[in-house]
Amino acid sequence: MEIVPDRDRPSAFTLRIDGTDQSYVDLDDPRRLEFDYMQRIADVIDAHGEAGAPLRCVHIGGAALTIPRYVAATRPRSSQTVLEPDEQVTALVRERLPLPRHSGIKIRPVDGRSGIAAMRDSLADVIVLDAFDGARIPAELTTAEFFADLGRVVADDGLVLLNIADKAPFPYARRVVRGVCDVFAHVMISAEPATLKGRRFGNVLVVASQAPLPWEALARRAASSPFPYRVLPYRDVVTTFAAKAPFTDSDSERSPAPPGGATFFS
């Protein structure tokens, strides 16, 4: 576990764990997002509700707190809870990459499954699941039972965002998406074109809500993004992407290991 300075920006650092780059943070400019999937997460959050209005956010997986810092900078007075079970990671980040005063970010030393189970109904406007054990997503965070609990905790018009990783033909991602579709009325996914075409292993962002999603606006934003990506709306998700059966607590597995091991995303 190490904090790696950016040679070109004295205020920017990467958190690396077991050879995998987990987070990139610019302390002087938390709006600067180095990882492409982080920009996609930010695009969705930016499009939710009134621009600049505070949000109630829950983050499953914390690492160096890139997205919580982004929300704190773009939506001041937001209330944010981060579920991060690795207290060593949190201690290192607090020491080397301290949060600004009055950030509204609270970190709980608990795993995502337990942390969500303890939360009251309709607590959150946005839930972001971006949790990895090394380079793989824990199996218990992508089951139908867990998604049902996320549906309980998020507000009726709120968002659930899941960052998952896979490669075409997406045997893992398709089962995750089916579980999400079984709980939420509206689902979209986004990914880099190279990932969707099966040219590379990569991140797939799943966005879900009981309320309609602004996928057309997000598709336009995707086309002009510094990291171009594609957006698939609900009709394409359910007809071409979702598998027939979701993962369950009795039939679950971790996300596939990236080719080349943990350093693939480094």
Side-chain angles (χ1 to χ4, degrees):
M1 184 170 56
E2 57 181 330
I3 303 290
V4 182
D6 186 330
R7 295 179 180 179
D8 298 322
R9 297 181 68 88
S11 62
F13 304 86
T14 297
L15 172 64
R16 184 172 297 160
I17 302 175
D18 295 332
T20 300
D21 289 351
Q22 297 280 6
S23 301
Y24 179 94
V25 170
D26 189 330
L27 297 178
D28 287 350
D29 184 9
R31 296 175 175 85
R32 183 169 180 265
L33 303 172
E34 187 74 8
F35 296 171
D36 63 336
Y37 82 88
M38 291 281 189
Q39 184 62 62
R40 282 187 270 139
I41 290 173
D43 286 349
V44 175
I45 294 174
D46 287 348
H48 186 59
E50 181 183 350
L55 293 170
R56 300 169 299 163
C57 297
V58 174
H59 304 266
I60 303 169
L65 310 170
T66 302
I67 293 298
R69 295 173 196 264
Y70 178 88
V71 172
T74 57
R75 293 175 179 263
R77 302 182 306 282
S78 291
S79 173
Q80 302 191 77
T81 300
V82 179
L83 308 179
E84 174 52 68
D86 194 328
E87 295 185 69
Q88 289 185 317
V89 168
T90 299
L92 178 65
V93 168
R94 286 189 183 278
E95 177 186 354
R96 297 284 303 279
L97 306 173
L99 290 167
R101 295 184 63 188
H102 310 300
S103 68
I105 301 170
K106 297 180 180 180
I107 307 171
R108 296 182 182 176
V110 63
D111 66 271
R113 195 72 186 254
S114 301
I116 290 294
M119 291 182 174
R120 61 178 172 82
D121 295 1
S122 303
L123 171 73
D125 299 310
V126 176
I127 299 176
V128 180
L129 193 162
D130 184 23
F132 285 80
D133 181 5
R136 304 178 72 176
I137 302 166
E140 68 272 14
L141 297 182
T142 52
T143 69
E145 292 86 350
F146 183 56
F147 295 150
D149 215 14
L150 294 181
R152 177 187 62 80
V153 173
V154 73
D156 288 342
D157 61 348
L159 300 175
V160 172
L161 297 86
L162 302 92
N163 173 46
I164 57 179
D166 201 359
K167 182 178 180 180
F170 305 108
Y172 171 82
R174 291 180 188 278
R175 292 192 67 183
V176 173
V177 169
R178 168 47 61 195
V180 175
C181 288
D182 287 348
V183 173
F184 295 94
H186 300 272
V187 180
M188 62 170 242
I189 64 174
S190 68
E192 292 177 299
T195 298
L196 287 175
K197 293 177 181 178
R199 295 174 183 169
R200 70 186 300 270
F201 183 95
N203 299 96
V204 176
L205 180 66
V206 183
V207 183
S209 179
Q210 302 298 4
L213 296 166
W215 71 267
E216 291 175 310
L218 288 167
R220 290 192 295 270
R221 187 162 183 169
S224 61
S225 172
F227 309 102
Y229 59 94
R230 284 186 59 201
V231 173
L232 299 185
Y234 180 76
R235 62 173 182 267
D236 293 340
V237 171
V238 296
T239 60
T240 67
F241 200 89
K244 292 182 179 180
F247 289 117
T248 67
D249 283 349
S250 60
D251 171 28
S252 62
E253 59 186 62
R254 295 189 297 166
S255 62
T263 59
F264 175 81
F265 289 112
S266 301

